[in-house]
């Protein structure tokens, strides 16, 4: 997968990325006020390489003085670059071709690239230590080189010089010998709007400028995302007098059918002197609100940004044409503990662990405690004077009256229809700060939804900042022994001012990261511990800053010990949530289902029922009315106990008289009850507990009975007055 750009643009930021983890940024100018200088230009990069020894000097001289280089360099239509030398040192460690694979026996010198508007030629030397089979260059590396080269060629033909790889077809014609000089040639064959087709090849570099023996061929399609062009507002001098100056570098979401996306984190700008001294303020400092580091200095006198300014980008892979799934932060450690990995929502996730079967893991959670890696879930922070009003527009929750450090289950709603975009947990962390968790499977849809809703709202309710906390970990500690495990973990950290017993269901707290010896730049990234979960058991969901994810996870496992705590996967999580009567989006909930139909009327708070004002409130409030007043719904979510074989998603639900009245949306055997349980939707009137129905399972009719949910009683740690839904 590739994302790239060629030249510094005056009104749109540009990115260079490949599937190998290849990242560089060339940043925009902001109007006529700020000129961002983030990387050497193509012309400047040509002279940046310095050989460390005679061997590097010889290889570099061969590439530089090759007849093909001399001919292309002399042609006025061709430009020359050494793009791998445009990287910031901090980014080289994240790149294969510009960092990790540089050095003796690998890419011993950076490639030399020549290009015009529709063609590209890249000359390189591939060392002897990058082999798949002995003496032959690894095919995966060749595919990466082609993806990178064809991408560079394509982006000149895209409107905003940004794109993603939608398709790459590679034909390996002959083995590529290690220790060879190679020429990669690429040509843009077709361009239509946001789509560009490119073909190319890798050949042996001979002694002349004529094409050599073709070793690998490829064809590729690149697509520019709809949100590729981003314009950034200027910073005005008169803004100094405002104590809350904000430069809104809005998140650029590059979403496409491949599932790749890039996000530019928001920055804040503050004067470097107090308001009393504002008449003499000469510069701004830009701080990255994601990690707390100073990123740039803007001089008011010259209108220039310090050259060392590099924007911080977060890059995540979702499941796409060429990706095999992202890996959550704790996977390197949990995967080594016998995790059976499966693709889920574009991620590689553990379905179970080798020490327990899915059923055994389920029962262990009910009796002791389990730790689930749920870092694939999407974590958001929404803040600002208009945050509460914005959330009250897109959800039926009373966020304005939600107490600090309290959470509520809610749903993002479609305008007019009131259909559920996604279910979410909302936690209030401050007067103008909210934390949300949404589903990984809905990530692309949710990002577009938030972007559109924020644009539609404008600033009529006050300014709203939205940040996606990519790279943050999320683990769920669940089970009757989870509180004891958490207390042990906090004791080992020397944290004595936290009373877990008084942290009730739906409450949260932030742990002091200073006591955890966290790096200063993450001082604002507190560990958030919320009491609740997706199993019906007592437990905690813990949001962790990137530097602490693995560290804190290991701490919990050590604090619990094997006699109390085990790792658990998606298999046990699904059967546990089924017993708890909890919905899974995409199965029990979707865009056409309203909260009333889903049996989630309790998430619509009393004051919202009176005042409305949320998306789809006309339809939803009408559904809450009794049928005799023109209200009600045509279908309702129900729980079923099914005899015989378990009913799975899609099974037809049949009423007496062989009439199909609904379908099963989720179903499995219940390890706790020893019965088959299911959820589904039926015609209204057939939803009452005790109603006899049938389910068609594998061509046979099985008896079923409607029962009240949850199937297994919840065991939340409730406050005396009771805060958990029943």
């Amino acid at each position: 997968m590739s994302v790239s750009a060629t030249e510094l643009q005056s009104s749109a930021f540009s990115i260079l990325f490949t599937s190998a983890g290849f990242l560089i940024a060339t940043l925009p100018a902001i109007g006529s006020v700020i000129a961002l200088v983030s990387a050497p230009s193509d012309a400047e990069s040509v002279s940046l390489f310095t050989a460390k020894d005679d061997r590097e000097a010889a290889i570099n001289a061969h590439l530089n003085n090759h007849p093909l280089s001399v001919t292309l360099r002399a042609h006025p239509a061709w430009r020359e670059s050494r793009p791998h030398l445009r990287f910031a040192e901090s980014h080289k460690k994240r790149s294969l071709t510009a960092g990790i694979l540089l050095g003796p026996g690998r890419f011993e010198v950076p490639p030399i690239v020549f290009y015009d508007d529709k063609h590209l030629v890249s000359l390189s030397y591939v060392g002897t230590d990058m082999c798949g089979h002995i003496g032959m260059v690894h095919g995966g590396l060749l595919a990466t080189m082609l993806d990178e080269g064809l991408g560079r060629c394509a982006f000149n033909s895209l409107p905003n010089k940004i794109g993603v790889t939608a398709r790459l077809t590679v034909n390996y014609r002959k083995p590529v010998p290690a220790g060879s000089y190679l020429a990669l040639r690429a040509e843009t064959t077709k361009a239509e709007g946001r789509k560009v087709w490119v073909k190319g090849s890798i050949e042996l570099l001979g002694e002349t400028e004529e094409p050599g023996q073709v070793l690998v061929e490829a064809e590729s399609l690149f697509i520019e995302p709809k949100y590729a062009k981003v314009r950034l507002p200027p910073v005005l001098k008169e803004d100094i007098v405002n104590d809350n100056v904000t430069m809104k570098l809005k998140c650029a979401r590059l979403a496409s059918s491949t599932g790749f996306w890039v996000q530019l984190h928001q920055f804040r700008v503050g004067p470097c002197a107090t308001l009393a001294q504002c008449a003499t303020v000469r510069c701004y400092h830009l701080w990255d609100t994601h990690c707390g580091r100073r990123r740039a200095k803007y001089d008011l006198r010259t209108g220039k940004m310090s050259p060392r300014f590099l924007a911080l980008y977060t890059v995540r892979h979702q499941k796409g044409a060429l990706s095999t799934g992202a890996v959550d932060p704790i996977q390197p450690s949990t995967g080594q503990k016998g995790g059976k990995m499966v693709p889920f929502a574009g991620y590689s996730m553990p379905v179970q662990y080798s020490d327990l079967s899915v059923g055994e893991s389920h029962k262990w959670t009910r009796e002791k405690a389990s730790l689930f890696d749920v870092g694939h879930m999407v974590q958001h922070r929404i803040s600002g004077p208009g945050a509460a009003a914005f959330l009250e527009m897109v959800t039926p929750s009373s966020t304005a009256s939600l107490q600090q450090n309290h959470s509520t289950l809610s749903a993002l709603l479609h305008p007019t229809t009131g259909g559920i975009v996604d279910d979410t947990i909302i936690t209030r962390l401050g007067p103008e700060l909210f934390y949300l968790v949404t589903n990984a499977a809905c990530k692309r849809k949710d990002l577009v939804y938030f972007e559109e809703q924020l644009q539609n709202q404008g600033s009529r309710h006050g300014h709203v900042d939205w940040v996606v906390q990519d790279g943050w970990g999320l683990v769920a500690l669940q089970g009757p022994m989870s509180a004891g495990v958490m207390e042990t973990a906090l004791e080992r950290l020397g944290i004595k001012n936290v009373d877990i017993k008084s942290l009730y269901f739906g409450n949260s707290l932030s742990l002091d990261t200073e006591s955890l010896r966290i790096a200063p730049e993450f001082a604002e990234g507190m560990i958030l511990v919320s009491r609740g979960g997706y199993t019906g058991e007592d437990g905690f969901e813990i949001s962790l800053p990137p530097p602490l994810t693995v560290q804190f996870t290991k701490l919990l496992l050590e604090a619990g010990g094997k006699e109390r705590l085990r790792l658990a996967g998606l298999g046990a999580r699904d059967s546990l949530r089924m017993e708890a009567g909890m919905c899974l989006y995409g199965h029990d909930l979707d865009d056409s289902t309203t909260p009333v139909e889903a049996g989630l009327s309790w998430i619509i708070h009393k004051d919202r029922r009176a005042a409305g004002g949320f998306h789809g409130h006309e339809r939803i409030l009408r559904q809450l009315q009794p049928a005799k007043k023109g209200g009600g719904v045509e279908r309702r979510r129900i729980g079923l106990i099914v005899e015989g074989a378990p009913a799975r998603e899609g099974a037809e639900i049949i009423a007496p008289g062989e009439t199909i009245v609904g379908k099963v949306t989720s179903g499995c055997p219940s390890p706790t009850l020893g019965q088959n349980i299911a959820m589904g939707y039926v015609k209204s009137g057939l939803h009452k507990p005790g109603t006899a129905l049938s389910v068609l399972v594998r061509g046979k009719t099985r008896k079923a009975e409607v029962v009240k949910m949850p199937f297994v009683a919840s065991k939340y740690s409730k406050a005396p007055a009771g805060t958990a839904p029943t």
Side-chain angles (χ1 to χ4, degrees), residues 696-717:
L696 190 62
V697 180
R698 300 175 186 171
K700 294 184 179 180
T701 301
R702 307 285 184 180
K703 291 182 179 180
E705 180 182 341
V706 178
V707 297
K708 187 178 180 180
M709 294 186 286
F711 298 98
V712 175
S714 301
K715 302 172 185 176
Y716 303 120
S717 177

Side-chain angles (χ1 to χ4, degrees), residues 391 395 397 399 402 406-412 424-428 434-437:
L391 291 173
T395 76
S397 299
T399 50
L402 185 64
H406 282 64
S407 304
T408 183
L409 177 66
S410 192
L412 303 174
T424 183
I425 297 288
I426 303 174
T427 303
R428 188 171 207 146
F434 296 86
Y435 166 76
L436 280 71
V437 179

Side-chain angles (χ1 to χ4, degrees), residues 56 181 248 279-280 287 338 396 448 523 546 639-640 702:
E56 286 189 2
Y181 289 95
K248 303 172 185 65
T280 59
W287 299 80
V448 173
L640 291 170
R702 307 285 184 180

Side-chain angles (χ1 to χ4, degrees), residues 638-665:
I638 60 167
L640 291 170
I641 297 292
V642 182
E643 294 184 3
R648 304 294 186 180
E649 181 179 4
E652 294 175 340
I653 303 174
I654 303 171
E658 304 298 317
T659 303
I660 298 174
V661 293
K663 284 189 176 182
V664 170
T665 54

Side-chain angles (χ1 to χ4, degrees), residues 482-540:
S482 58
V485 173
M486 179 63 75
E487 287 176 335
T488 303
L490 296 182
E491 287 173 3
R492 293 190 178 189
L493 288 171
I495 298 177
K496 301 178 181 179
N497 60 342
V498 174
D499 182 9
I500 291 297
K501 295 183 177 63
S502 63
L503 184 71
Y504 297 113
F505 177 87
N507 296 164
S508 63
L509 60 85
S510 296
L511 297 181
D512 179 10
T513 53
E514 183 177 353
S515 63
L516 302 177
R517 299 178 179 84
I518 189 170
E521 59 265 29
F522 287 92
E524 295 182 4
M526 304 287 281
I527 293 178
L528 181 66
V529 179
S530 303
R531 197 148 196 171
Y534 197 49
T535 64
E537 292 291 333
D538 183 25
F540 307 87

